[in-house]
Amino acid sequence: MARYKPYSYAQGKFIPIHFANQVLPGTFEYTLNYLIDHELDLSIFNDRYHNDDSGAPAYDPKILLKIILFAYSRGIVSSRKIERACRENVIFMALSADSRPHFTTIADFISSMDREIVSLFLEVLLVCDEQKLIGREMFAIDGCKMPSNASVTWSGTRADFQKKVTKMETAIANMVNHQSRSQEIGPPVKL
């Protein structure tokens, strides 16, 4: 008769997680984390909050941007699903420093800062593409196909490049606008 290794679901395991060690160099999330912390100008968010003297502390826009843009890169556009990922996914926990923002906070941030998020996301995508962190054939967000092969797709004149940037901005804006109108993933946006 066959013998099998014993197992039991009635056991637990404590796993120590150091968030800084979860975001590994050479990955999209590492570059996203670095760009938001060190390269992007996020002063546009400073005027949004007026809680210096009273009111509860707000979530740092850096944290919200990191989890939203990372979620978008994984095809997650529902604020409820982003909130869930921050509770269940180690990379989301690491990017958010385990702050776990509520889905209403995420949805409000997206809907009120859609123009800023679109321009920042485009900047992140262009840098990541330059560093070859985006797949060499396609980068999909919510069914939105974006070319990412720099040697073929991004070669051409400055006008050609500007057309492609405009297409990416439009696709990102459509995705953000769709998120603002509903909490569910919508139909794909074609470029």
Side-chain angles (χ1 to χ4, degrees):
M1 177 172 232
R3 293 184 312 134
Y4 301 105
K5 291 182 181 260
Y7 60 90
S8 171
Y9 291 111
Q11 62 182 336
K13 185 173 192 169
F14 289 101
I15 303 173
I17 297 174
H18 192 262
F19 292 131
N21 294 339
Q22 300 306 309
V23 181
L24 302 174
T27 62
F28 177 77
E29 55 268 20
Y30 181 86
T31 303
L32 177 67
N33 190 45
Y34 179 82
L35 288 174
I36 289 175
D37 282 344
H38 303 288
E39 299 293 329
L40 298 180
D41 178 20
L42 302 178
S43 61
I44 54 177
F45 297 108
N46 292 340
D47 294 334
R48 176 185 167 118
Y49 301 102
H50 304 287
N51 61 350
D52 296 347
D53 299 324
S54 63
Y59 284 99
D60 190 331
K62 289 180 179 181
I63 294 291
L64 295 173
L65 275 173
K66 287 175 188 179
I67 62 172
I68 290 167
L69 298 182
F70 184 65
Y72 283 3
S73 76
R74 297 296 184 254
I76 304 169
V77 295
S78 165
S79 57
R80 291 177 191 265
K81 290 180 181 177
I82 295 172
E83 175 193 23
R84 183 177 177 186
C86 288
R87 285 191 323 265
E88 298 175 356
N89 185 296
V90 175
I91 301 298
F92 279 92
M93 287 179 202
L95 289 173
S96 69
D98 206 23
S99 57
R100 300 181 182 191
H102 194 262
F103 76 90
T104 56
T105 302
I106 296 167
D108 179 57
F109 185 78
I110 293 168
S111 64
S112 63
M113 303 303 278
D114 59 341
R115 287 189 188 106
E116 292 85 353
I117 290 173
V118 168
S119 64
L120 291 171
F121 196 23
L122 176 64
E123 204 173 324
V124 168
L125 288 177
L126 291 174
V127 169
C128 289
D129 183 64
E130 185 180 297
Q131 294 181 3
K132 298 182 177 147
L133 293 173
I134 298 175
R136 298 319 316 150
E137 295 178 14
M138 175 194 318
F139 186 73
I141 302 170
D142 188 27
C144 173
K145 296 177 182 178
M146 298 179 160
S148 64
N149 189 336
S151 64
V152 175
T153 308
W154 288 101
S155 58
T157 65
R158 190 172 226 15
D160 293 337
F161 178 75
Q162 188 55 45
K163 274 189 201 173
K164 290 176 183 173
V165 167
T166 303
K167 278 186 174 182
M168 286 178 86
E169 284 175 333
T170 303
I172 294 167
N174 288 340
M175 180 180 60
V176 169
N177 289 336
H178 183 277
Q179 167 63 18
S180 297
R181 290 190 308 271
S182 75
Q183 296 298 323
E184 297 303 317
I185 296 175
V189 178
K190 276 197 162 191
L191 286 177

